[in-house]
Amino acid sequence: MSHSDFSVLEIDYDVEVAQGKHEKKYDFIYAMTNTEAEVKNGCTGWGAYAKNWPLAKKAMDIMCLEMNFTGVVLGIVDSNGNSCEIPPSCQNKVVTAPFVNYFEGLNFMRQSKFLFLPQVYDASPRFAVEAMSLNVPLLMNNQIVGGWKYINDETGEFFNDDIMSDFRSSLVKLVNRLDSYSPRSYVELNYGTKIAGSKLRAFVEKNFSDRVSLHKESHLLIPSEPPSNDKINTDDTVESAHDHDERLLLIDTDGQEDCGL
């Protein structure tokens, strides 16, 4: 189980499609979490490492040069407008952006044909589940430490980061099957707050009943979140303003907090 299992977006997808929110402007989207210092240092810091920026640039060059793809890359522009360097082949084809707020990021996702995930150590990224919630398939590094469980015939393709020829073949396979994937249906059936919360509650009850007393009429356990000004609170989501750790909140059927671990 991963924290990202809880990140399925509760939206009316059909209404959004009818409103034109999912009209595609970009072939791919990639997000690289940076800091001000990373841009100054050639994008070689933690964010670049976690998001595998060196491999992302190699893959972007292939996508832009050989496939003539367009894309959007988030999180590589600092507050002064300075940007991590993208491949020359991607100039005028790829939109570069700073670290945008939550809703802007989702809108970019809606407008993209697939999410590119070259990272290894950014395990089980929530962005992947949010993308699938928007019916956007994934192209994922098969070396990722977690998150691999999300890839199947309904959701996207793996590529081997050691063999760029494998990347090319995986990319072609993905593009040829874009209309065949159904990632939103898959995550709705297998993940989300209610499903993951029920599984987590059962796990805690089975393995830690000697340490934790759970309300008998409650059904869900969900991880708490750090406070955020640009995320929507739903009946089944509680954000904790007290800490930034993996504290768990017990949520009953009315969406009320009962106890914590």
Side-chain angles (χ1 to χ4, degrees):
M1 178 172 287
S2 309
H3 201 161
S4 50
D5 293 352
F6 295 81
S7 300
V8 176
L9 302 174
E10 297 180 5
I11 60 171
D12 192 326
Y13 177 73
D14 292 332
V15 170
E16 289 196 355
V17 171
Q19 293 172 340
K21 292 183 178 181
H22 291 262
E23 293 181 4
K24 304 304 182 183
K25 295 182 179 180
Y26 314 102
D27 289 301
F28 68 90
I29 182 171
Y30 162 75
M32 201 278 274
T33 305
N34 74 357
T35 64
E36 295 291 300
E38 285 195 58
V39 175
K40 294 179 182 178
N41 296 326
C43 298
T44 57
W46 176 88
Y49 176 76
K51 305 293 185 178
N52 208 347
W53 176 239
L55 179 62
K57 288 194 293 183
K58 292 180 182 179
M60 286 168 56
D61 189 40
I62 292 173
M63 291 191 283
C64 293
L65 183 63
E66 300 181 17
M67 306 289 287
N68 198 32
F69 276 2
T70 61
V72 56
V73 179
L74 305 180
I76 65 168
V77 180
D78 68 14
S79 59
N80 296 315
N82 300 314
S83 176
C84 298
E85 185 177 351
I86 64 174
S89 61
C90 292
Q91 296 292 337
N92 301 318
K93 296 179 182 178
V94 171
V95 174
T96 58
F99 193 72
V100 298
N101 73 40
Y102 181 70
F103 297 112
E104 289 179 291
L106 294 183
N107 284 334
F108 276 121
M109 186 84 76
R110 288 179 173 94
Q111 297 166 355
S112 303
K113 294 179 182 178
F114 68 91
L115 171 63
F116 176 49
L117 294 164
Q119 50 259 57
V120 174
Y121 299 108
D122 177 30
S124 297
R126 298 189 202 186
F127 212 34
V129 176
E130 290 167 347
M132 291 188 289
S133 301
L134 298 172
N135 215 35
V136 175
L138 315 176
L139 182 59
M140 180 183 285
N141 190 336
N142 67 356
Q143 299 300 309
I144 192 169
V145 184
W148 37 264
K149 65 182 181 182
Y150 296 131
I151 297 294
N152 54 53
D153 289 341
E154 297 179 63
T155 60
E157 303 295 334
F158 281 124
F159 70 92
N160 189 331
D161 70 349
D162 293 328
I163 309 172
M164 290 313 288
S165 61
D166 176 82
F167 172 78
R168 289 177 174 89
S169 60
S170 296
L171 178 62
V172 169
K173 183 178 180 181
L174 179 86
V175 172
N176 288 338
R177 296 194 62 229
L178 281 176
D179 294 333
S180 301
Y181 298 113
S182 53
R184 176 166 174 79
S185 296
Y186 176 77
V187 293
E188 282 190 314
L189 288 174
N190 294 279
Y191 300 103
T193 300
K194 292 181 180 179
I195 294 174
S198 178
K199 289 181 178 179
L200 180 57
R201 189 193 191 286
F203 175 82
V204 171
E205 188 173 40
K206 178 181 178 180
N207 294 282
F208 301 101
S209 59
D210 58 329
R211 298 171 54 190
V212 180
S213 178
L214 301 179
H215 196 289
K216 292 182 179 180
E217 295 183 0
S218 65
H219 298 283
L220 307 177
L221 270 178
I222 65 172
S224 63
E225 298 280 355
S228 173
N229 293 324
D230 50 320
K231 278 196 176 184
I232 296 175
N233 289 324
T234 68
D235 289 341
D236 292 323
T237 300
V238 172
E239 294 180 348
S240 171
H242 302 299
D243 51 42
H244 290 249
D245 61 14
E246 291 295 310
R247 177 173 174 261
L248 296 177
L249 301 179
L250 175 59
I251 309 301
D252 66 16
T253 53
D254 296 321
Q256 301 298 313
E257 177 182 344
D258 288 332
C259 66
L261 302 182

Coordinates of all heavy atoms in Angstrom, one line a residue, residues 56-89:
A56 N 15.5 12.3 -18.1 CA 14.4 13.0 -18.7 C 14.8 13.7 -19.9 O 14.1 13.7 -20.9 CB 13.7 13.9 -17.7
K57 N 16.0 14.4 -19.8 CA 16.4 15.2 -21.0 C 16.8 14.3 -22.2 O 16.5 14.7 -23.3 CB 17.7 16.0 -20.6 CG 17.3 17.2 -19.6 CD 18.5 18.1 -19.5 CE 19.7 17.5 -18.8 NZ 20.8 18.5 -18.6
K58 N 17.4 13.1 -21.9 CA 17.7 12.2 -23.0 C 16.4 11.7 -23.7 O 16.3 11.7 -24.9 CB 18.4 11.0 -22.5 CG 19.8 11.3 -22.0 CD 20.5 10.0 -21.5 CE 21.9 10.3 -20.9 NZ 22.5 9.0 -20.4
A59 N 15.4 11.4 -22.9 CA 14.1 10.9 -23.4 C 13.4 12.1 -24.2 O 12.8 11.8 -25.2 CB 13.3 10.4 -22.3
M60 N 13.4 13.3 -23.6 CA 12.8 14.4 -24.2 C 13.4 14.7 -25.6 O 12.7 15.0 -26.6 CB 12.9 15.6 -23.4 CG 12.0 15.6 -22.1 SD 12.4 16.9 -20.9 CE 12.3 18.4 -22.0
D61 N 14.7 14.5 -25.7 CA 15.4 14.7 -27.0 C 14.9 13.7 -28.0 O 14.6 14.1 -29.2 CB 16.9 14.6 -26.8 CG 17.7 15.0 -28.1 OD1 17.3 16.0 -28.7 OD2 18.6 14.3 -28.4
I62 N 14.7 12.5 -27.6 CA 14.1 11.5 -28.6 C 12.7 11.9 -28.9 O 12.3 11.8 -30.1 CB 14.2 10.1 -27.9 CG1 15.6 9.6 -27.8 CG2 13.3 9.1 -28.7 CD1 15.8 8.4 -27.0
M63 N 11.9 12.3 -28.0 CA 10.5 12.6 -28.2 C 10.3 13.8 -29.1 O 9.5 13.8 -30.0 CB 9.7 12.8 -26.9 CG 9.6 11.5 -26.1 SD 8.4 11.6 -24.7 CE 9.4 12.5 -23.5
C64 N 11.2 14.8 -28.9 CA 11.1 16.0 -29.7 C 11.7 15.9 -31.1 O 11.1 16.3 -32.1 CB 11.8 17.2 -29.0 SG 11.0 17.7 -27.5
L65 N 12.9 15.2 -31.1 CA 13.6 15.1 -32.4 C 13.1 14.0 -33.3 O 12.9 14.3 -34.5 CB 15.1 14.8 -32.1 CG 16.1 14.8 -33.3 CD1 16.1 16.1 -34.0 CD2 17.5 14.4 -32.8
E66 N 12.8 12.9 -32.8 CA 12.4 11.7 -33.6 C 10.9 11.6 -33.8 O 10.5 11.1 -34.8 CB 13.0 10.4 -33.0 CG 14.5 10.4 -32.9 CD 15.1 9.1 -32.3 OE1 14.3 8.1 -32.3 OE2 16.2 9.1 -31.9
M67 N 10.2 12.1 -32.8 CA 8.7 11.9 -32.8 C 8.0 13.3 -33.1 O 6.8 13.3 -33.3 CB 8.2 11.3 -31.5 CG 8.8 10.0 -31.1 SD 8.4 8.6 -32.2 CE 6.7 8.3 -31.6
N68 N 8.8 14.4 -33.0 CA 8.2 15.7 -33.2 C 7.1 16.0 -32.2 O 6.1 16.7 -32.5 CB 7.7 15.9 -34.6 CG 7.5 17.4 -35.0 OD1 8.2 18.2 -34.5 ND2 6.5 17.7 -35.8
F69 N 7.3 15.5 -31.0 CA 6.3 15.7 -29.9 C 6.4 17.1 -29.3 O 7.4 17.7 -29.3 CB 6.5 14.7 -28.8 CG 5.9 13.3 -29.0 CD1 5.3 13.0 -30.2 CD2 6.0 12.3 -28.0 CE1 4.7 11.8 -30.4 CE2 5.5 11.1 -28.2 CZ 4.8 10.8 -29.4
T70 N 5.2 17.5 -28.8 CA 5.1 18.7 -27.9 C 5.0 18.2 -26.5 O 4.6 17.1 -26.2 CB 4.0 19.6 -28.3 OG1 2.7 18.8 -28.2 CG2 4.1 20.0 -29.8
G71 N 5.3 19.1 -25.6 CA 5.2 18.7 -24.2 C 5.1 19.9 -23.2 O 5.3 21.1 -23.7
V72 N 4.9 19.6 -22.0 CA 5.0 20.6 -20.9 C 5.8 20.1 -19.8 O 5.7 18.9 -19.4 CB 3.6 21.1 -20.4 CG1 2.8 19.9 -20.0 CG2 3.7 22.1 -19.4
V73 N 6.8 20.8 -19.3 CA 7.7 20.4 -18.2 C 7.5 21.4 -17.1 O 7.7 22.6 -17.2 CB 9.2 20.4 -18.7 CG1 10.1 20.0 -17.5 CG2 9.3 19.5 -19.9
L74 N 7.0 20.9 -15.9 CA 6.7 21.7 -14.8 C 7.9 21.7 -13.8 O 8.6 20.7 -13.6 CB 5.5 21.2 -14.1 CG 4.2 21.0 -14.9 CD1 3.1 20.5 -14.1 CD2 3.8 22.4 -15.6
G75 N 8.1 22.8 -13.1 CA 9.1 22.9 -12.0 C 10.5 23.1 -12.4 O 11.4 22.7 -11.6
I76 N 10.8 23.6 -13.6 CA 12.2 23.8 -13.9 C 12.5 25.3 -14.2 O 13.6 25.7 -14.7 CB 12.6 23.0 -15.2 CG1 11.8 23.5 -16.4 CG2 12.4 21.6 -15.0 CD1 12.4 23.0 -17.7
V77 N 11.6 26.2 -13.8 CA 11.8 27.7 -13.9 C 11.8 28.3 -12.5 O 10.8 28.1 -11.8 CB 10.8 28.3 -14.8 CG1 11.0 29.8 -15.0 CG2 10.7 27.6 -16.2
D78 N 12.8 29.1 -12.2 CA 12.8 29.7 -10.9 C 12.1 31.0 -10.9 O 11.5 31.5 -11.9 CB 14.2 29.9 -10.4 CG 15.1 30.9 -11.1 OD1 14.5 31.7 -11.9 OD2 16.3 30.9 -11.0
S79 N 12.1 31.7 -9.8 CA 11.3 33.0 -9.6 C 11.8 34.1 -10.4 O 11.1 35.1 -10.6 CB 11.2 33.4 -8.1 OG 12.5 33.5 -7.6
N80 N 13.1 34.0 -10.9 CA 13.7 35.0 -11.8 C 13.5 34.7 -13.2 O 14.0 35.5 -14.1 CB 15.2 35.2 -11.4 CG 15.4 35.6 -10.0 OD1 14.8 36.6 -9.6 ND2 16.3 35.0 -9.3
G81 N 12.8 33.6 -13.6 CA 12.6 33.3 -14.9 C 13.7 32.4 -15.5 O 13.7 32.1 -16.7
N82 N 14.7 32.1 -14.7 CA 15.8 31.2 -15.2 C 15.3 29.8 -15.2 O 14.6 29.3 -14.3 CB 17.0 31.3 -14.3 CG 17.6 32.8 -14.3 OD1 17.7 33.4 -15.4 ND2 17.8 33.3 -13.1
S83 N 15.7 29.0 -16.2 CA 15.2 27.6 -16.4 C 16.3 26.6 -16.5 O 17.4 26.9 -17.0 CB 14.4 27.6 -17.7 OG 13.9 26.3 -17.9
C84 N 16.0 25.4 -16.1 CA 16.9 24.3 -16.4 C 16.9 24.2 -17.9 O 16.0 24.4 -18.6 CB 16.3 23.0 -15.8 SG 16.2 22.9 -14.0
E85 N 18.1 23.7 -18.4 CA 18.3 23.7 -19.9 C 17.6 22.4 -20.5 O 17.8 21.3 -20.0 CB 19.8 23.6 -20.2 CG 20.1 23.6 -21.7 CD 21.5 23.7 -22.0 OE1 22.3 23.8 -21.0 OE2 21.9 23.5 -23.1
I86 N 16.7 22.7 -21.5 CA 16.1 21.6 -22.2 C 16.8 21.3 -23.5 O 17.6 22.1 -23.9 CB 14.6 21.8 -22.4 CG1 14.4 23.0 -23.4 CG2 13.8 22.1 -21.1 CD1 13.0 23.3 -23.8
P87 N 16.7 20.1 -24.0 CA 17.4 19.8 -25.3 C 17.0 20.8 -26.4 O 15.9 21.2 -26.5 CB 16.9 18.4 -25.6 CG 16.4 17.8 -24.3 CD 15.9 18.9 -23.6
P88 N 18.0 21.1 -27.2 CA 17.7 22.1 -28.3 C 16.6 21.6 -29.2 O 15.8 22.4 -29.8 CB 19.1 22.1 -29.1 CG 20.1 21.7 -28.1 CD 19.4 20.8 -27.2
S89 N 16.4 20.3 -29.4 CA 15.4 19.8 -30.2 C 14.0 20.1 -29.7 O 13.0 20.0 -30.4 CB 15.5 18.2 -30.4 OG 15.4 17.6 -29.1

